[in-house]
Amino acid sequence: MFFLKSAFSMKSSLKVFLILSILSTSGSQSSMVPLQDVNILAVTDVHSWVAGQQPHNQNDNMDYGDVLSFYERLNATAAEQEKDLFFVMNGDWMDGTGISTNPPKHLTPILEKMPFDAITVGNHELYKNSTIEFITKDDGFINFWKGRYLSSNVYLTDTNEPLGSKYLFLQGRYSKRTILFFGFLYNMQDHCKSTEVKEVQTVVNEPWFENVLGGGDGSYDAIVCLSHMDANDELLSIILHKIRTIAGSSMPVQFITGHSHQRKFNQIDPFSCSFEPGKYLDTLGFTLIGMNRADLLKTRSGQDLTNLIGKTESELGLNERVGCAPQTYNLTAGLHEPDSLWGFYLKQVIPQELFQYNDSKLFIQTAGGFRSNLYEGNVTVDDFIKVSPFDDDFYLATEGLLGRDFLAAFKEINSFSTKTLNWGDPVVSGKVEEDRMYDIYTVDFDLGFLGKALNQSTGRIFNPKKLSGVTSNIILRRYINVSWDCDKEDKDRLLVVKYRKSFAVGMAMILTTFILWNFYKREKILHEKVPNHCDREERQHDGNGMIYNSDNDHEIDSKATFTQLCEQRSGSYELA
C-alpha cells in the first residue's frame, strides 16, 4: 500500500505529493497514485548508488532499473489519464560507490539511460577539475541533456558562462501547463578552481533572473526550483521572496531539495513548500518504493538498465570479496559504542595500519569522510568504497606538537561517546596528554580546518607533507584483508560444525551404551529368576499368563508367558 503526504495544496489545480513509504509492490500499483494535472518524480543525492543498497539492506534495494521501470509504468498510467509526469534529479550523483570513478566515465552512461526532464548540479560534482573537464566536453554529460542540465548559480571560471542552463521551460503534453525550472546550489566555497559558485542572494537580483520571472522569456503556470540545499535552508526564503515580489503571492512554487541526506518537508507559505527525498536511492520524491526486486513491475528497458549496472560493477571488480566483517559498524553511532564505525576506524584501523601502534602519533578528521555503514559478513570492494567514497590522501600536518596546544585548538575531543555523530564533528585517534609531544596527521579535505585551528592556538604556520601511497581506502582495505580473513572464519565455522558433529556422535554413543547397559541388567535379573530347565514341573502358569515359582510362589513377570521366557533363554525371545 502507498502512504502519501500532501506536500501542499493550492487553489490552482496543481498538487505535489511526497510518498513516504510503500509496503507492497505486487501487481500494478501505480494506478493507486492520485495523479493531478502536473506530477513530479524526483531523486536526489544518489551518490552513484545506482545498484541500490542490496545485499545489506533488503528494505531499500531498488536499483536504477527498478526506478526506470516504475517511471515508465507510472508515466503510462499518467498518459492513460491524460496527466503529465516530469522526472528530475537534484544533484550529487557522484562519490559513493565504486562505479563513481574519477572521471566518472563508468557512471555517466548509466545516468544517460534515465529519462530525466531536468537535472541540477550538486556540490560533489564540483570538487575536482578533472570531473568538470570530463562532463563539459562537447560530447560530454552536460551537453547530452540538451539544455536540461541546470546551474542557475554555478559558472565556469575560464569562460564566465554557466556550467549548464540557468533555467528551463517545460510544457505538459496533456495539461498544456508550462513549468519554469531553476537549478540552485547552496553557497558552496570549497569547489574546484575551474568553477565559481555565485551567492544565491546575488543571483536572484541579477537582470536575467528578474526578466525570466517577469515573463520576459515567456509565461508560466508554476515554478519548480531544484535546490541542492537543505529543505530548511534560509536561502530558499531568499529565492522565494524574490519570486513573490515579481510573480505574485499565489504562484505555485515547489522546492525540491537535498544535500542533508534526510527525508524532510517544510511548508514555507500557503503556495510553496520544500521536500527532500532522502539519499542513496532510499527514496523517490513523489513516490518511495521499497521494491523487493518486483519483476512484475520491471519493464524491458528497466531490466536492461539493471543488467548494465551489474555488468559495470563486474567490469570494475566491485564485487570482489576482500574480507568478512565480524559485525555491522554504524556510521552515526557514538565513538565509544561497540558498533561505532568511527570508533572501529580510530581504535583499530588507524593504530594498526597508519601508526603501527606508535601512540605518539595522533590522527584527526571530520566525520563527513565516511558515508555508509559497514555491514556484517562479506565485504566487497564496493562495500568499503561506499563507506569511504573519497579515498582521502593522508598528510603529516605537523611534528612535535605539545598536547595542550592540540587540546586548546580542538577543545573537548571525542566527546561523542553516545551522541550521534554529525559530518562536521572532529574525531581523534588515541589519548591526548597535555605535556606530551605528538605528530599530527589528517586527510586532504581537513587540512584547511586543521591548519586554521592550530594556527590560532599556537601562532605557528604549518607546512603539511603528503604521505606517499597512503589513502583512506588503501589502509581500510589492508586492514580488512589482514584482520578479517574469510578463509580463517570459514575454517572456524568448519571447526565449530565439526565439533558439533563430534559432540552429537559422542552423546549418541553414551546414550546407546546407557540403553544397552540397562537392557543387560534387566536381562540378567530376568535370567536369574528363570530356572535353567524350562521343562521343570515345578513351574506353573495360570490362565492369565502369570508365571510362578512353585518353591516360593513368587511372581516372575506379568508381561511374558512361560513359553516366551523359555524361547528367550534359547536366544529367540521377542517382545509380544
Side-chain angles (χ1 to χ4, degrees), residues 295-360:
D295 294 332
L296 289 174
L297 286 179
K298 185 157 285 189
T299 61
R300 182 166 184 172
S301 55
Q303 184 60 55
D304 289 343
L305 183 54
T306 294
N307 294 341
L308 175 60
I309 293 170
K311 179 182 178 183
T312 304
E313 288 179 318
S314 297
E315 290 174 349
L316 293 172
L318 299 179
N319 298 321
E320 175 190 348
R321 187 174 73 170
V322 295
C324 293
Q327 67 174 75
T328 293
Y329 293 93
N330 193 306
L331 174 65
T332 59
L335 283 180
H336 303 309
E337 297 295 328
D339 65 337
S340 170
L341 176 62
W342 275 108
F344 151 71
Y345 186 71
L346 296 171
K347 297 174 185 177
Q348 298 183 43
V349 178
I350 291 295
Q352 176 175 308
E353 299 299 331
L354 187 63
F355 295 157
Q356 289 74 52
Y357 299 104
N358 184 342
D359 62 3
S360 68

Side-chain angles (χ1 to χ4, degrees), residues 173-197:
R173 177 181 178 184
Y174 301 103
S175 68
K176 304 303 179 184
R177 295 182 178 275
T178 299
I179 313 300
L180 172 58
F181 284 82
F182 295 106
F184 279 98
L185 176 65
Y186 68 92
N187 293 338
M188 179 184 181
Q189 297 184 9
D190 55 346
H191 49 80
C192 62
K193 294 181 179 179
S194 61
T195 59
E196 176 190 2
V197 179

Side-chain angles (χ1 to χ4, degrees), residues 280-300:
Y280 302 165
L281 204 59
D282 67 356
T283 311
L284 285 174
F286 181 74
T287 174
L288 166 63
I289 316 171
M291 298 179 70
N292 295 316
R293 314 298 295 176
D295 294 332
L296 289 174
L297 286 179
K298 185 157 285 189
T299 61
R300 182 166 184 172

